[in-house]
Amino acid sequence: VEGKAREMGFGQLVIGAPGSGKTTYCEGVSQFLKGIGRPTATVNLDPGNDTSSLEWDVDVMDLIKLEDVMQELQLGPNGGLIYCMEYLEQNLDWLKEQIESKCKDKYILFDCPGQIELFTHHRCMRNVTVVMGDEWDIRLCCVQLVDSHHCSDHSKFISAALVSLSTMMMLELPHVNVLSKVDLVQQYGPLAYNFDFYTQLSELARLPMLMGMRGREGAVEAQSPHGKLDLALAQMIDEFGLVNFAPLCISDKDTVAYVVSLVDKSNGYMYLPS
């Protein structure tokens, strides 16, 4: 059993909306892990990520580029990205060869595209992760980044929590949700509750109620067009009881270490024999 455990690969599937800090996360966590003596590789799975200064160990843009697909097939950015990811799914032998040759015996950070439909509706990324786990024996944990500015708007925060829940249900991977850029949260205005409320998320339905939607005798009166919808979604998220968030400031080693410890527990890395 011990020998088999040492043959396993471990890594993180880093996802989140555009601007949530995925590439910055990969760069910062890679530096942190290398600093504590853990060999680490970074893999870019975003065929449109051509602006990063990070030197990838494996880059999907060596296989297919979003810009080329858009020009040749006359597709928009969303359709082009789905085409690229479906192409990757059909050419996983290329990805496996690259990982085996360049990431052997390393902890892998996969930087993914920001199109959230790939993780909530479309099945190609789920299929890719199934192959990674079942056939390649890579133990993944999904790390979903949510920009902390959503905390200042209760509708946006409920939407972000719903996306996190949908992704958890679709991918069926060990999962850690992260509120990124927490050092900037105060710049977006006052919060309805203290910050622990947004990380622990034990009673999300309190948020829309606090925002002036409680009527007489506890009935809900939607004072905005989305009032009742916000409350219904928040109650549903509460009923699942799966979503919470870890705070992260990528320049703060303590929060980075905390997130890494959560991931290591989720994907089983911490249980490897020393």
Side-chain angles (χ1 to χ4, degrees):
V1 175
E2 180 176 337
K4 177 64 175 177
R6 290 185 180 276
E7 292 174 6
M8 292 180 184
F10 290 86
Q12 302 180 23
L13 190 76
V14 183
I15 69 174
S20 58
K22 297 184 295 298
T23 301
T24 302
Y25 173 90
C26 289
E27 184 174 8
V29 171
S30 176
Q31 292 175 358
F32 176 86
L33 293 176
K34 291 176 181 178
I36 62 174
R38 186 184 304 182
T40 305
T42 53
V43 176
N44 176 40
L45 294 183
D46 184 355
N49 187 3
D50 56 358
T51 59
S52 172
S53 59
L54 186 60
E55 294 184 4
W56 307 102
D57 294 274
V58 178
D59 191 348
V60 74
M61 294 185 69
D62 294 334
L63 174 70
I64 189 169
K65 295 182 180 180
L66 175 60
E67 183 178 0
D68 294 343
V69 169
M70 291 172 60
Q71 291 178 353
E72 293 179 15
L73 301 180
Q74 297 297 303
L75 293 173
N78 291 337
L81 187 54
I82 289 177
Y83 179 92
C84 289
M85 302 316 292
E86 290 178 342
Y87 186 84
L88 173 64
E89 182 186 355
Q90 298 300 318
N91 291 273
L92 284 179
D93 289 343
W94 174 88
L95 182 60
K96 182 180 181 181
E97 180 181 337
Q98 293 290 311
I99 290 175
E100 289 179 343
S101 64
K102 300 177 181 179
C103 307
K104 185 175 177 59
D105 298 326
K106 292 183 179 180
Y107 189 93
I108 307 174
L109 301 173
F110 295 93
D111 188 5
C112 296
Q115 188 174 359
I116 204 63
E117 298 96 312
L118 293 169
F119 309 98
T120 59
H121 298 85
H122 202 279
R123 298 186 68 86
C124 66
M125 285 305 299
R126 174 189 167 91
N127 295 339
V128 170
T129 59
V130 167
V131 171
M132 288 181 179
D134 293 350
E135 299 182 20
W136 304 355
D137 214 10
I138 299 177
R139 298 294 179 257
L140 289 173
C141 175
C142 180
V143 177
Q144 181 153 8
L145 302 182
V146 173
D147 195 315
S148 61
H149 80 79
H150 291 305
C151 296
S152 61
D153 185 310
H154 75 278
S155 291
K156 289 182 179 179
F157 186 72
I158 292 170
S159 298
L162 180 61
V163 168
S164 297
L165 177 60
S166 299
T167 304
M168 295 170 77
M169 302 295 286
M170 170 61 79
L171 294 181
E172 295 184 316
L173 288 172
H175 199 103
V176 174
N177 294 304
V178 174
L179 279 176
S180 61
K181 310 176 188 177
V182 295
D183 52 318
L184 304 178
V185 69
Q186 297 297 331
Q187 298 183 12
Y188 305 118
L191 303 180
Y193 290 102
N194 61 40
F195 194 67
D196 288 344
F197 172 85
Y198 298 90
T199 56
Q200 297 172 4
L201 220 65
S202 58
E203 296 181 80
L204 183 58
R206 292 169 54 193
L207 189 57
M209 287 183 173
L210 182 70
M211 306 311 291
M213 293 185 296
R214 185 184 294 277
R216 289 174 296 180
E217 299 180 356
V220 174
E221 295 179 353
Q223 296 184 7
S224 72
H226 308 296
K228 288 186 177 180
L229 177 61
D230 284 345
L231 182 58
L233 292 175
Q235 290 173 336
M236 182 193 68
I237 295 168
D238 283 341
E239 289 173 1
F240 274 92
L242 296 175
V243 181
N244 54 29
F245 292 94
L248 175 69
C249 169
I250 199 62
S251 60
D252 183 344
K253 289 185 177 180
D254 290 337
T255 63
V256 175
Y258 177 63
V259 170
V260 168
S261 69
L262 292 177
V263 174
D264 286 351
K265 186 175 182 179
S266 297
N267 65 11
Y269 185 89
M270 68 176 294
Y271 301 110
L272 280 179
S274 58

